[in-house]
Amino acid sequence: MPFKLCLNTSTLLPYRLGVKEQIRIAAEAGYQGIELWVKDIDAYLESGGNLSELRGYIDENGLEFANAIAFWSWADTNPDERRRGFELAEKELHILAELGCTAAAAPPFGNVSNVSLNDFATSFATLAELARGIGVEPYLEFWGKSQRLNCVRDAQYVVKGSGVHEAKILLDPFHMYTGGSEISDLTDWSGEQIGIVHVNDYPGEPSKEQIQDADRVFPGDGIAPSRELAALLSKAGYKGYLSLELFKTEYGALTALETAKLGIEKIKRAYEV
């Protein structure tokens, strides 16, 4: 397998674990990287934790803090809300940098229904300048159910229009499916264009229009073209992380560790090249 394995801690939501437990589970299961949610880091800090201790714990467990999940209204149609989004981004980016986090997701969060792709590009250039100045790389993310920036081609347009050198995009088969992207949209990509790949699968029902995040299933358990995507990623020279991102409400009798280990088995089987 030419890819590295990462755990997005949304996968562990039903277990309601603190951030240190999330880290322990990811390491014990055998992942090389972890994607933490800023809200969980905030909860840890509010309960008396500190950044240096948390960074040490990540290092002790041999994990790379590969990407953070944050929600900044960096492209909101309202200038005041957009300004607040950048202020929040600056605050949280400094926290992420202290934790040794290398990247943060930049999805189309907020009111973006009337935002043009050109305006997205301008805002992304501003975000990239801010984030890189702090030491964190922003990964442009598209959301399939967003009214704007909802597919691979939109993301490509925004990256090109932003003028950001070596900008990277976050890929997710669920968002490709719900936003109408095709695997062929990635045919001529190089690995350097991809920041991280969220891996998951989806059933044929509910329909594409009705399906929700909670309907995601483990890689290989649905109808997603996982093997075809793996081949394209490998051909493109991508050697980064495949990060398991599920939003299931329960896993039956499985423990958090068993769920995390099962995720590795499923990824290796579905994304074998």
Side-chain angles (χ1 to χ4, degrees):
M1 219 186 147
F3 317 111
K4 297 184 290 184
L5 298 176
C6 186
L7 179 67
N8 184 311
T9 53
S10 68
T11 303
L12 303 178
L13 279 174
Y15 302 104
R16 300 184 179 182
L17 304 177
V19 69
K20 293 184 75 172
E21 277 295 287
Q22 295 170 352
I23 292 166
R24 182 187 65 79
I25 291 294
E28 193 171 338
Y31 292 89
Q32 297 152 284
I34 193 167
E35 286 187 287
L36 297 175
W37 286 54
V38 171
K39 68 176 182 64
D40 292 332
I41 297 170
D42 286 342
Y44 165 79
L45 295 175
E46 289 167 5
S47 66
N50 67 76
L51 294 176
S52 60
E53 178 188 1
L54 186 58
R55 178 166 184 167
Y57 194 71
I58 295 170
D59 292 342
E60 287 167 16
N61 279 276
L63 292 174
E64 179 183 1
F65 189 174
N67 186 45
I69 306 303
F71 300 98
W72 310 316
S73 50
W74 56 275
D76 198 281
T77 188
N78 185 305
D80 290 334
E81 184 58 37
R82 197 163 59 247
R83 174 182 52 78
R84 286 189 287 270
F86 275 102
E87 289 173 352
L88 179 62
E90 183 172 11
K91 173 188 173 184
E92 294 183 346
L93 283 163
H94 279 292
I95 291 172
L96 295 175
E98 284 195 54
L99 290 173
C101 179
T102 55
F109 179 74
N111 182 3
V112 299
S113 58
N114 296 316
V115 178
S116 71
L117 292 181
N118 287 329
D119 285 341
F120 263 111
T122 299
S123 292
F124 184 69
T126 303
L127 180 63
E129 182 179 12
L130 171 66
R132 287 179 171 183
I134 295 171
V136 181
E137 182 71 20
Y139 291 160
L140 183 70
E141 181 177 14
F142 57 92
W143 280 349
K145 289 183 177 290
S146 176
Q147 290 182 289
R148 303 291 287 171
L149 188 55
N150 55 27
C151 63
V152 168
R153 291 184 179 180
D154 281 0
Q156 288 174 308
Y157 185 97
V158 169
V159 161
K160 184 177 180 180
S162 73
V164 175
H165 182 60
E166 296 182 346
K168 298 182 186 297
I169 294 172
L170 188 160
L171 293 180
D172 185 318
F174 179 82
H175 289 306
M176 290 180 66
Y177 173 64
T178 56
S181 298
E182 302 289 342
I183 285 288
S184 58
D185 293 336
L186 302 173
T187 301
D188 297 322
W189 278 38
S190 69
E192 288 73 23
Q193 294 173 268
I194 305 167
I196 196 168
V197 181
H198 286 172
V199 289
N200 46 63
D201 210 324
Y202 41 84
E205 294 292 336
S207 68
K208 182 186 298 187
E209 293 73 29
Q210 298 298 320
I211 199 167
Q212 300 297 321
D213 281 323
D215 296 314
R216 299 183 190 206
V217 295
F218 284 103
D221 287 355
I223 62 171
S226 302
R227 188 59 56 85
E228 189 178 354
L229 177 57
L232 274 172
L233 292 172
S234 179
K235 183 180 179 182
Y238 179 71
K239 299 184 183 299
Y241 285 106
L242 302 182
S243 186
L244 181 67
E245 186 188 47
L246 302 179
F247 292 91
K248 293 177 71 66
T249 56
E250 56 90 20
Y251 294 96
L254 293 179
T255 66
L257 181 58
E258 288 169 342
T259 293
K261 287 183 174 179
L262 178 61
I264 288 180
E265 294 174 15
K266 295 285 189 178
I267 295 171
K268 286 183 174 179
R269 194 174 303 131
Y271 282 82
E272 180 184 14
V273 177

